[in-house]
Amino acid sequence: MKHLSVRTKIMLWYAAILAVMVVLSYIVVFSVSSSVMHRTTRDELRYTVADNLDEVEFFPSMAHVKQDNDADQYIAYRKGFLEVDDDYLDQVNGITTALYRSDNTLLYGNNPIAKQTASLPFASSRVQKVSAAGTVYYVYDRQLTQDGLDGLWLRGIVPEKHGTSQLSRIVQWSLFLLPLLFLLALLGGYFFSGRILRPLRDMEEAAARISRGQDLTKRITLPPGTDELHRLADTFNAMFARLEKAFASERQFTSDVSHELRTPMAVITAQCEYMLEAPRTAEEYEAALHTILRQSSRMNTLIEDMLRLVRLEQKPGQFPMENLDLSALTTSVCEDMTLLQEQNITLTYHIEDAIHVTGSRPLLTRLLSNLIANAYRYGTANGWIHVTLASEGENAALAVSDNGIGITPDEQEKIFHRFYRVNPARTGSGMGLGLSMVQEITRLHSGTLTVKSAPGRGSTFTLKLKKQPGPPSEKNTHPLPENQK
């Protein structure tokens, strides 16, 4: 079974279910038909005997007999005559009806099992069964109650297999029609299963084309629809889109890393080759070593930033979240960053007290440090940086503003890309990973990060996180009395 196609498996299960239904249909048809035929036979027996009740009359003398039908039969009975009308059905559709005295003396009609029913007592309006020569017969009696007919009975007899011929025809038609319907259902199921599973084949072909050609731009195209297969196709297309984006980012990341590492490696190699070409002075060796150290530090910074970013993306669980005082954290970072004093830029801050959020202390520290370092890096000499933290409804708003070079609208979407730098000439030791890390930290904290900037007018980065109630103050907690511990 595991090597069969989905369509074949569906058809096998479908055929098995149909086969069971056909067998059950045979059983139901046969049992129901048999029951219906037997009931119909008994009903016909009752109706025939009941119809004959009115065909027998008593006349005290022949003078009272109407001589309008020579086909009537006359039988002497007691001090008069019995007239049996010509409409009397003594045998019809296999049913025979006989006229009896109460002492079981046959007066008129036919009884094919007279010997077997000779000792059978009369039972008015009740069907009895009698076996004769291996055949079961139904016997039905009705007493005549008209004037002068007391002591007379009509007895109807019919074999139980009277309806066998009709039942045989039903079974024969069933044996022909049910297998035919079975085959038609199989053909229809095979046809419709192919149409239903066609999207799966299209998905398989699209996936195979993508696999063979490594072309993630291909998508699964299906006719309009909203069923499970169409939703599955939409899911696959969304997955292919994410894979395409991920692979494109990976290629770009690899290219950018290679580019960033190529320059310091080239400088280090050039310095080493230059020093080895001929004997140099101590000052030249020292200058070369300083250059190599500077480039090595740049490579080390790049590698550390890359590792931090990879850990953020792949192992966010190693940064546990806690209820922390964002006000205290922001104040601490700002106090440390004021010591940089790059380009004589002044850092000021205004922090609202007792703002708590759920977050990772080291990650939020890194986020704020990167934003402030970025403001220093792209600030103007003798400029300013201002950090604010305030409550805005249910959120905490952390903003870092500066009066630096600003960012054009076209570049505002690109600044969060890895290794992108607004002005490479002013980057210094920056690698273009700081804002990428800021964005990733924001995502891990389910926050929002916006930037408002204009060239020559500075920039403002605003982070919004959902506020949390702070932990209870220690001064408000009281130990339980000894008798309540």
Side-chain angles (χ1 to χ4, degrees), residues 84-352:
V84 181
D85 197 272
D86 61 345
D87 292 333
Y88 181 91
L89 303 174
D90 57 346
Q91 185 170 359
V92 59
N93 294 331
I95 302 173
T96 58
T97 307
L99 180 62
Y100 278 90
R101 291 178 183 270
S102 57
D103 60 0
N104 223 331
T105 301
L106 179 63
L107 295 179
Y108 183 80
N110 182 32
N111 183 354
I113 55 171
K115 184 177 180 180
Q116 287 79 6
T117 59
S119 60
L120 183 67
F122 292 104
S124 182
S125 302
R126 184 163 64 89
V127 177
Q128 303 180 78
K129 281 187 177 183
V130 176
S131 296
T135 302
V136 177
Y137 290 84
Y138 293 127
V139 179
Y140 182 70
D141 301 322
R142 286 291 298 272
Q143 186 176 16
L144 280 70
T145 58
Q146 297 93 327
D147 292 340
L149 299 180
D150 54 308
L152 295 178
W153 290 81
L154 281 179
R155 170 164 281 178
I157 301 96
V158 65
E160 188 181 44
K161 62 181 181 180
H162 170 70
T164 303
S165 58
Q166 294 93 328
L167 181 60
S168 298
R169 286 195 294 272
I170 292 175
V171 172
Q172 289 172 359
W173 277 105
S174 299
L175 289 172
F176 170 74
L177 289 176
L178 289 178
L180 179 62
L181 292 175
F182 176 78
L183 292 175
L184 291 176
L186 279 182
L187 292 175
Y190 186 80
F191 173 74
F192 286 111
S193 64
R195 291 181 60 87
I196 293 172
L197 295 176
R198 184 178 298 169
L200 285 180
R201 293 198 301 272
D202 294 341
M203 293 179 200
E204 179 185 6
E205 293 173 0
R209 290 196 301 269
I210 293 172
S211 177
R212 289 193 301 267
Q214 297 295 318
D215 186 1
L216 290 173
T217 61
K218 295 184 181 296
R219 297 292 182 266
I220 299 170
T221 56
L222 297 178
T226 58
D227 58 20
E228 292 83 352
L229 292 178
H230 285 79
R231 292 198 294 271
L232 180 61
D234 293 339
T235 302
F236 269 106
N237 286 335
M239 180 186 69
F240 291 147
R242 290 195 299 271
L243 287 175
E244 180 185 6
K245 183 178 179 181
F247 286 143
S249 298
E250 181 183 2
R251 287 192 295 268
Q252 183 65 38
F253 181 73
T254 304
S255 175
D256 291 340
V257 168
S258 301
H259 176 74
E260 293 295 332
L261 291 177
R262 185 182 297 116
T263 300
M265 286 300 299
V267 172
I268 292 173
T269 302
Q271 287 294 312
C272 292
E273 290 176 348
Y274 175 73
M275 290 295 104
L276 294 174
E277 285 179 355
R280 306 295 179 184
T281 64
E283 291 77 9
E284 289 177 320
Y285 282 119
E286 184 178 358
L289 289 174
H290 279 299
T291 301
I292 293 173
L293 178 60
R294 187 168 54 254
Q295 297 300 324
S296 298
S297 298
R298 182 180 180 186
M299 292 173 60
N300 187 57
T301 301
L302 173 62
I303 293 172
E304 287 182 355
D305 287 345
M306 288 169 54
L307 289 176
R308 291 193 189 99
L309 194 56
V310 169
R311 281 196 295 267
L312 278 176
E313 293 176 342
Q314 298 184 356
K315 298 180 180 180
Q318 67 177 327
F319 300 100
M321 300 292 178
E322 60 177 316
N323 187 312
L324 58 86
D325 188 343
L326 186 60
S327 300
L329 183 147
T330 304
T331 301
S332 175
V333 173
C334 290
E335 288 176 350
D336 293 340
M337 299 295 285
T338 54
L339 302 177
L340 294 180
Q341 297 182 350
E342 294 182 5
Q343 304 184 75
N344 201 29
I345 295 175
T346 302
L347 172 62
T348 59
Y349 49 91
H350 178 76
I351 311 299
E352 184 178 324

Side-chain angles (χ1 to χ4, degrees), residues 362-415:
L363 291 184
L364 290 178
T365 300
R366 170 64 60 180
L367 179 146
L368 184 56
S369 298
N370 284 358
L371 288 178
I372 296 176
N374 200 64
Y376 272 119
R377 187 172 297 120
Y378 294 101
T380 57
N382 303 313
W384 54 264
I385 300 172
H386 188 58
V387 178
T388 60
L389 175 65
S391 296
E392 290 187 2
E394 297 181 349
N395 296 321
L398 174 63
V400 177
S401 304
D402 64 67
N403 64 338
I405 63 174
I407 310 169
T408 64
D410 293 339
E411 291 180 315
Q412 289 180 19
E413 287 293 329
K414 302 176 183 178
I415 58 175

